[in-house]
């Protein structure tokens, strides 16, 4: 049959790409073959617009066991233990169907971890929503959070941290990025490879249905007014089946019966079979009529492109297939031998004995299109600093209250209280306890810290500095919590790569991330690219989310961000400048002004990280918190949420800074620490070359910040806590920031309005 131009276009392929397919096959493809090429060559699977830039990432280091190219990155954490981790996106599905989109995002990232042979022990989420009064936004917030909690809670993996922010650029395209981490013995790591000619190929897990067909293609296109029609491409997840699949996979991995295993994620059976054969340099013959199916009348096209959840493809040792099948059947899962490994370099698909498709394995990867897209910086002028009138020293408590009640800075308790944060009893610290979330590695005395960070506004204003800042803040969050930063994963969320200004953003962000990773010795070991995050030509702000993992050699080291007792000395580490460009203060009080975001000195960041780790190693800190969004005043307020506040005097900071810059500047490479050993902390700061400024003491129930006797902020910790902890639910319920500050209105219902 001939393939029409309309059919080619509907599969997301260009005319030139179709001609390449004909050249590879030496003939015109049939519809099944066209579908396979379309998903394997989609932006989502082939990285055809990003690959030339991703090669610039540093991916090697002394602790790297497995870098990019497998289901997850793996690092050595000592004594024969390794940690596997990765971050992925599920943006388009979550906008179309928020509950299932977010839920299956969690399921997919967990499979990436246990496919490697590691038991998942923690998840993070990084969520970007539009303005709360934008159409559907409260419905989307509610659905995404319920989807994450519904899947994670049911499978029994704690979601222990993450980040959530709001901006109008996400009104038509939210971002749902999910991170998972697992641990394993080094000798138990598995890879997705189809080696050993004659070895059986075994399908395990849920039956295949029609859900998710062309999900990878949908994720490689921008949204328009017809996006709601794509709802059938969103998969449906079952966390209870995934729990069975997890345990069955780990059980069979404890034997030597299998040689390779691969999650059926994006592009389902297509990507898993081609990727496994490609890594091994082999071929695969599969009998599609043997695939367990839950719907009648399914065609080979539907079987190969389905993205039904909770499925794996296994290559077992010849003669051990019955052993593998018995294990999965014991766990009440489907298991069937559907093919075998071959030596001819082709994936051959049979349907009731007839060959339905024959595609060479190597060219589908090596001859996939790779585009060097045009780059062009946007034509705009960004001021060096926010143009504003200086504010004389006076009481600006109201500014602090309004910022603390804003969607970006208020407590996300409403979100994380829906997550089981302590299941499996590994959790040491979760959201709002430390700057990084921490889990113990049982039996080792060690702990792993993890965080996700990016400031999309910074990245919009200067993607190079924004990329650097995402890595630097992640490393700072780990260090201030007591962990040595080791490596990162990333989730790079951008608009259409066909627009030169988007590709410029992408290339600059990668340059910034790469420079920071090199300077801070945190190589990139895994990641994901999500393009086409735009609706009708309006792209999201560039959002290169960084997930970083660090190691604590002693799980009892480190300290909380919360002040533990009155009478401790407060020391501000790092210098403060008037850097309000892109800040939370500027967004609230001067939103029309574009100005450069804070500059990132990687040398200064490295010195601060080294100092913080040294102070933790000597047990000199009682509390520690990095300064980021909102600046010094917000950091002090967040650390005062258990009732112990501050009496701070900022007279030692530069007198050239006005009250606003002093309190709300977002200068990087800063942290505030509370200590009972101030002289020793100051001495060590001098040794590491980090400026250190005593700024007062902790105080019971009081929150007072002054300069030269003039109060800049005066309130109480109960009032701060009321605003900070109640704001998010009230905002979801329709209250304004001003109403939250004044204390009017009622908390949002359990399920917010649609």
């Amino acid at each position: 049959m001939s393939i029409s131009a309309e059919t080619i276009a509907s599969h997301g392929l260009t005319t030139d790409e179709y001609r390449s397919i004909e050249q590879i096959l030496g003939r015109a493809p049939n519809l099944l073959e066209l579908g396979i090429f379309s998903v394997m060559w989609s932006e989502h699977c082939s990285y055809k617009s990003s690959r030339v830039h991703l090669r610039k990432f540093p991916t090697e280091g002394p602790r790297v066991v497995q870098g990019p190219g497998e289901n997850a990155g793996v690092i050595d954490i000592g004594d024969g233990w390794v940690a596997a981790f990765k971050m992925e996106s599920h943006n388009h599905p979550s906008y179309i169907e928020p509950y299932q989109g977010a839920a299956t995002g969690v399921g997919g990232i967990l499979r990436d971890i246990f496919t490697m042979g590691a038991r998942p022990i923690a998840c993070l989420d990084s969520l970007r929503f539009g303005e709360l009064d934008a159409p559907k936004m409260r419905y989307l917030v509610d659905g995404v959070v319920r989807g994450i909690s519904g899947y994670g809670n049911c499978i029994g993996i704690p979601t222990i941290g993450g980040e959530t922010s709001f901006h109008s650029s996400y009104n038509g395209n939210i971002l749902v990025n999910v991170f998972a981490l697992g641990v394993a013995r080094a000798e138990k790591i598995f890879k997705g490879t189809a080696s050993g000619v004659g070895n059986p190929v075994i399908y395990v897990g849920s039956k295949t249905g029609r859900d998710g067909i062309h999900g990878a293609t949908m994720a490689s296109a921008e949204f328009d007014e017809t996006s709601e029609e794509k709802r059938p491409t969103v998969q449906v997840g079952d966390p209870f089946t995934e729990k069975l699949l997890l345990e069955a996979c780990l059980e069979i991995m404890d034997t030597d019966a299998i040689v390779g295993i691969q999650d059926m994620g994006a592009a389902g059976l297509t990507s898993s079979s081609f990727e496994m054969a490609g890594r091994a340099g082999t071929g695969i013959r599969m009998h599609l009529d043997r695939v367990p199916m839950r719907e009648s009348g399914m065609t080979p096209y539907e079987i190969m492109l389905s993205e039904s959840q909770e499925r794996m493809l296994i290559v077992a040792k010849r003669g051990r297939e019955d052993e593998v099948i018995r294990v999965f059947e014991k766990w009440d899962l489907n298991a069937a031998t559907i093919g075998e490994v071959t030596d001819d370099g082709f994936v051959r698909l049979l349907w009731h004995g007839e060959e339905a498709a024959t595609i060479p394995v190597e060219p589908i990867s090596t001859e996939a299109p790779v585009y060097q897209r045009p780059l062009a910086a946007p034509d705009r002028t960004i001021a060096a600093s926010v143009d504003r009138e200086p504010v004389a020293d006076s009481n600006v408590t109201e500014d602090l209250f309004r910022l603390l009640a804003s969607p970006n800075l208020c407590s996300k308790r409403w979100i994380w209280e829906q997550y089981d944060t302590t299941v499996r009893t590994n959790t040491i610290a979760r959201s709002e306890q430390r700057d990084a979330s921490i889990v113990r590695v049982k039996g080792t005395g060690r702990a792993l810290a993890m965080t996700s960070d990016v400031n999309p506004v910074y990245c919009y204003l200067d993607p190079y500095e924004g990329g650097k800042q995402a890595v630097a803040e992640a490393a700072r969050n780990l260090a201030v919590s007591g962990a040595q930063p080791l490596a990162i994963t990333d989730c790079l969320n951008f608009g259409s790569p066909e627009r030169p200004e988007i590709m410029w953003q992408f290339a600059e962000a990668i340059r910034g991330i790469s420079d920071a990773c090199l300077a801070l010795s945190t190589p990139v070991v895994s990641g994901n690219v999500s393009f086409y995050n735009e609706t009708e030509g309006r792209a999201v702000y560039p959002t290169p989310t960084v997930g970083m993992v660090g190691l604590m050699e002693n799980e009892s080291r480190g300290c909380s961000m919360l002040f533990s007792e009155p009478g401790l000395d407060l020391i501000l580490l790092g210098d403060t400048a008037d850097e309000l460009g892109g800040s939370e203060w500027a967004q609230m009080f001067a939103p029309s002004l574009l100005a450069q975001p804070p500059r990132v000195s990687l040398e200064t960041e490295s010195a601060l990280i080294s100092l913080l780790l040294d102070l933790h190693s000597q047990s000199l800190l009682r509390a520690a918190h990095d300064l980021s969004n909102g600046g010094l005043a917000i950091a002090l307020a967040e650390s005062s949420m258990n009732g112990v506040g501050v009496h701070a005097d900022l007279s030692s900071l530069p007198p050239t800074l006005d009250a606003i810059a002093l309190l709300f500047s977002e200068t990087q490479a800063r942290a505030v620490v509370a200590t009972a050993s101030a002289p020793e902390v100051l001495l060590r700061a001098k040794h590491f070359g980090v400026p250190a400024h005593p700024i007062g003491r902790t105080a019971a129930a009081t929150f007072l910040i002054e300069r030269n006797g003039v109060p800049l902020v005066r309130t109480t910790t109960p009032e701060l806590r009321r605003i900070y902890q109640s704001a998010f639910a009230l905002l979801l319920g329709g209250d304004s920031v001003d109403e939250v500050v004044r204390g009017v209105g009622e908390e949002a219902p359990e399920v917010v309005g649609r």
Side-chain angles (χ1 to χ4, degrees):
M1 63 177 274
S2 61
I3 303 290
S4 68
E6 291 76 12
T7 300
I8 295 168
S10 70
H11 282 72
L13 293 163
T14 67
T15 302
D16 287 342
E17 288 170 350
Y18 180 75
R19 290 197 188 103
S20 295
I21 294 169
E22 290 184 316
Q23 290 173 357
I24 289 170
L25 296 178
R27 55 178 171 80
N30 60 35
L31 186 61
L32 172 57
E33 292 165 336
L34 184 75
I36 289 171
F37 272 99
S38 77
V39 293
M40 292 301 293
W41 284 8
S42 67
E43 194 72 61
H44 191 73
C45 292
S46 75
Y47 289 47
K48 57 190 175 185
S49 298
S50 59
R51 201 180 307 174
V52 294
H53 300 286
L54 297 176
R55 293 171 184 150
K56 299 171 185 175
F57 277 149
T59 59
E60 298 179 349
R63 289 188 179 267
V64 176
V65 176
Q66 175 64 57
E70 271 289 343
N71 293 288
V74 182
I75 58 172
D76 183 353
I77 59 173
D79 290 339
W81 286 92
V82 297
F85 59 97
K86 190 182 182 183
M87 181 175 278
E88 278 274 10
S89 63
H90 231 222
N91 303 334
H92 285 53
S94 298
Y95 185 83
I96 293 171
E97 212 305 298
Y99 183 93
Q100 290 297 346
T104 52
V106 174
I109 197 66
L110 290 174
R111 288 194 301 278
D112 282 337
I113 301 306
F114 68 79
T115 299
M116 300 295 296
R119 178 175 288 279
I121 60 173
C123 291
L124 306 176
D125 58 52
S126 179
L127 311 176
R128 311 287 164 186
F129 296 106
E131 298 162 305
L132 280 173
D133 57 0
K136 294 195 350 174
M137 201 53 60
R138 289 183 170 87
Y139 160 69
L140 291 170
V141 172
D142 175 59
V144 165
V145 172
R146 286 192 300 110
I148 292 170
S149 65
Y151 207 100
N153 294 357
C154 289
I155 195 173
I157 309 297
T159 301
I160 61 173
E163 53 179 341
T164 304
S165 68
F166 298 80
H167 191 275
S168 59
S169 79
Y170 306 106
N171 282 356
N173 203 126
I174 65 173
L175 303 183
V176 176
N177 295 174
V178 286
F179 166 104
L181 175 142
V183 294
R185 297 296 297 174
E187 68 274 12
K188 290 292 186 180
I189 288 296
F190 279 80
K191 298 183 179 181
T193 180
S195 57
V197 175
N199 280 337
V201 176
I202 304 175
Y203 173 114
V204 300
S206 294
K207 292 181 177 180
T208 293
R210 291 187 171 94
D211 50 327
I213 293 173
H214 276 304
T217 307
M218 177 196 70
S220 304
E222 64 183 88
F223 278 165
D224 55 29
E225 67 277 1
T226 67
S227 293
E228 287 294 329
E229 299 171 9
K230 298 175 182 176
R231 189 178 299 271
T233 65
V234 178
Q235 311 94 317
V236 177
D238 180 354
F240 299 104
T241 298
E242 178 124 336
K243 171 62 173 174
L244 300 177
L245 185 63
L246 186 161
E247 298 300 339
C249 286
L250 293 180
E251 180 176 331
I252 200 63
M253 288 170 171
D254 270 339
T255 72
D256 64 345
I258 67 174
V259 297
I261 182 169
Q262 176 80 20
D263 165 39
M264 292 189 214
L269 190 52
T270 292
S271 62
S272 56
S273 57
F274 276 91
E275 288 174 6
M276 292 182 80
R279 292 187 186 114
T282 58
I284 288 179
R285 182 186 299 110
M286 288 194 297
H287 301 265
L288 298 184
D289 47 293
R290 299 178 188 173
V291 170
M293 288 170 267
R294 69 166 183 261
E295 299 183 48
S296 61
M298 290 192 70
T299 65
Y301 182 97
E302 292 170 326
I303 293 168
M304 287 300 292
L305 271 62
S306 167
E307 293 186 9
S308 295
Q309 297 291 286
E310 293 90 35
R311 303 180 300 159
M312 294 280 190
L313 197 64
I314 289 175
V315 173
K317 292 181 179 177
R318 186 160 37 180
R320 306 286 294 275
E321 51 267 50
D322 289 344
E323 179 182 346
V324 173
I325 289 172
R326 280 197 302 271
V327 167
F328 284 89
E329 288 181 342
K330 183 189 79 170
W331 287 96
D332 201 24
L333 294 164
N334 298 285
T337 300
I338 64 169
E340 59 278 330
V341 177
T342 63
D343 62 359
D344 64 1
F346 283 80
V347 168
R348 299 179 186 275
L349 305 176
L350 282 74
W351 183 244
H352 298 289
E354 299 290 329
E355 201 159 273
T358 304
I359 299 176
V361 173
E362 185 181 12
I364 208 167
S365 173
T366 60
E367 297 183 33
V370 177
Y371 295 126
Q372 181 76 59
R373 302 279 192 187
L375 312 179
D379 183 15
R380 62 184 184 182
T381 300
I382 296 182
S385 61
V386 174
D387 183 14
R388 62 187 181 86
E389 290 296 323
V391 175
D393 284 2
S394 58
N395 193 328
V396 292
T397 304
E398 189 71 14
D399 283 16
L400 174 62
F401 283 169
R402 294 192 68 207
L403 285 168
L404 207 59
S406 67
N408 285 347
L409 295 178
C410 68
S411 167
K412 304 307 185 296
R413 175 181 295 267
W414 183 90
I415 293 177
W416 58 255
E417 281 189 337
Q418 297 185 52
Y419 302 155
D420 190 334
T421 60
T422 58
V423 62
R424 302 194 64 81
T425 68
N426 295 313
T427 306
I428 293 174
R430 49 145 177 81
S431 296
E432 299 182 11
Q433 294 176 327
R434 300 195 194 184
D435 285 285
S437 303
I438 302 172
V439 290
R440 64 176 51 86
V441 183
K442 286 179 179 173
T444 69
R446 295 182 174 87
L448 291 168
M450 60 209 78
T451 183
S452 67
D453 292 283
V454 68
N455 188 315
V457 176
Y458 291 179
C459 292
Y460 172 74
L461 295 170
D462 187 330
Y464 173 69
E465 289 294 331
K468 284 199 299 182
Q469 191 273 341
V471 177
E473 184 178 348
R476 208 184 315 134
N477 282 336
L478 295 179
V480 83
S481 303
Q484 172 70 54
L486 295 185
I488 77 162
T489 183
D490 59 60
C491 197
L492 308 176
N493 308 271
F494 290 79
S496 169
E498 297 165 41
R499 294 168 55 193
E501 65 271 24
I502 299 296
M503 285 310 299
W504 174 81
Q505 291 175 347
F506 185 79
E508 285 293 283
I510 282 183
R511 188 167 67 91
I513 291 171
S514 299
D515 285 354
C517 286
L518 285 169
L520 302 179
S521 300
T522 54
V524 182
V525 298
S526 60
N528 173 65
V529 176
S530 176
F531 277 134
Y532 294 99
N533 291 291
E534 60 179 70
T535 300
E536 297 180 1
R538 294 187 298 275
V540 302
Y541 273 11
T543 312
T545 309
V546 168
M548 187 177 286
V549 173
L551 178 65
M552 298 173 66
E553 292 287 355
N554 183 337
E555 67 176 50
S556 63
R557 284 271 162 80
C559 61
S560 172
M561 63 189 283
L562 301 171
F563 298 138
S564 58
E565 59 189 289
L568 297 173
D569 288 306
L570 293 172
I571 298 174
L572 174 62
L573 301 175
D575 280 335
T576 302
D578 187 343
E579 293 186 288
L580 290 164
S583 68
E584 293 294 332
W585 183 89
Q587 291 178 63
M588 176 168 282
F589 297 104
S592 64
L593 300 176
L594 289 179
Q596 290 289 347
R599 305 290 89 181
V600 178
S601 165
L602 295 172
E603 182 180 357
T604 305
E605 295 281 5
S606 181
L608 176 62
I609 289 164
S610 296
L611 170 62
L612 288 166
L613 293 174
D614 177 72
L615 295 175
H616 281 300
S617 73
Q618 301 300 316
S619 300
L620 292 172
L621 303 182
R622 300 287 184 86
H625 189 15
D626 95 307
L627 271 62
S628 55
N629 294 12
L632 175 61
I634 291 294
L636 291 173
E638 290 172 338
S639 292
S640 301
M641 286 301 147
N642 67 353
V644 178
V646 301
H647 183 176
D649 183 350
L650 306 184
S651 304
S652 63
L653 299 187
T656 53
L657 297 175
D658 76 338
I660 298 301
L662 203 64
L663 296 173
F664 305 118
S665 169
E666 295 184 7
T667 297
Q668 299 296 292
R670 295 187 298 162
V672 63
V673 299
T675 179
S677 308
E680 183 67 16
V681 171
L682 293 171
L683 184 65
R684 289 175 180 271
K686 184 176 181 180
H687 172 75
F688 282 91
V690 175
H693 309 275
I695 59 169
R697 310 194 85 192
T698 57
T702 298
F703 194 87
L704 173 63
I705 304 176
E706 58 185 2
R707 177 163 65 176
N708 298 322
V710 178
L712 306 179
V713 174
R714 174 180 280 167
T715 184
T716 65
T717 55
E719 182 67 356
L720 289 176
R721 188 167 55 216
R722 177 192 68 79
I723 295 171
Y724 180 69
Q725 294 187 349
S726 69
F728 194 69
L730 292 169
L731 294 170
L732 281 175
D735 283 11
S736 68
V737 166
D738 288 336
E739 287 171 329
V740 172
V741 171
R742 294 200 307 270
V744 301
E746 299 180 357
E747 289 196 3
E750 183 177 347
V751 178
V752 298
R754 284 156 169 72

